[in-house]
Amino acid sequence: MGCHDALKQVLQEITLKRVNYIIDADIKSFFDNVNHDWLVQFLEHRIKDKKFIRLIIRFLKAGIMDEGSFRASDKGTPQGGIISPILANIYLHYVLDIWFEKGLKKELQGYASIVRYAERLYHTCRTRIGLHIDIGSFAITACEVQA
């Protein structure tokens, strides 16, 4: 989904559904904190080609050249890397989308939805809540916010 598609979907949500709150969130330092081990497990869930998985692992472990010195990377995806947005969508599908659909949505009163574009998300709901998301360990907690 592109950013324009996400905004169109949010517009549709707020015009056609009973929504009281819209939460606009940007997952802080998302691309720096993607857990490689979990990402590879998510990929292996759908991709059976071991050579392809090995290629992605090499991409993730490529490291960073910073002012002439090499720094190994054990987490995150290379920013500006051609497949980083795709890997981000796969990771967030398992970590955020499924958690929302199978977990949080059942706990909320009334209608609730989530619209995600890369590391940015829009949450529409009838109950005002706050989300705390730790992408590295994919600890996501929701708490009701008092007005």
Side-chain angles (χ1 to χ4, degrees), residues 27-94:
I27 301 172
K28 183 179 176 183
S29 302
F30 170 73
F31 288 98
D32 297 333
N33 291 303
V34 170
N35 183 304
H36 290 180
D37 296 330
W38 280 109
L39 177 58
V40 170
Q41 285 184 42
F42 299 151
L43 291 168
E44 288 174 338
H45 184 254
R46 300 288 296 262
I47 300 170
K48 302 302 176 201
D49 185 346
K50 297 292 182 191
K51 290 179 182 178
F52 185 73
I53 297 292
R54 215 172 22 248
L55 181 64
I56 292 174
I57 292 170
R58 286 181 181 166
F59 174 81
L60 291 171
K61 305 282 184 197
I64 303 161
M65 286 297 287
D66 188 21
E67 296 180 11
S69 62
F70 175 76
R71 227 178 351 134
S73 60
D74 59 346
K75 65 179 181 173
T77 62
Q79 292 203 17
I82 191 86
I83 64 169
S84 288
I86 297 166
L87 296 176
N89 276 327
I90 293 167
Y91 192 84
L92 285 173
H93 168 73
Y94 285 96

Side-chain angles (χ1 to χ4, degrees), residues 90-141:
I90 293 167
Y91 192 84
L92 285 173
H93 168 73
Y94 285 96
V95 174
L96 186 62
D97 300 345
I98 292 175
W99 166 80
F100 180 81
E101 287 298 321
K102 298 197 184 282
L104 179 65
K105 195 172 184 177
K106 293 176 184 175
E107 297 174 21
L108 296 174
Q109 295 175 351
Y111 178 79
S113 74
I114 192 167
V115 178
R116 187 176 50 76
Y117 168 67
E119 80 278 12
R120 183 150 211 95
L121 66 99
Y122 300 93
H123 171 63
T124 59
C125 59
R126 297 208 53 208
T127 308
R128 187 174 177 190
I129 63 161
L131 295 177
H132 174 73
I133 303 169
D134 180 354
I135 286 301
S137 62
F138 57 86
I140 306 171
T141 55

Side-chain angles (χ1 to χ4, degrees), residues 6-16:
L7 291 173
K8 283 179 190 174
Q9 188 172 344
V10 169
L11 179 62
Q12 185 175 10
E13 294 281 328
I14 62 176
T15 55
L16 300 177

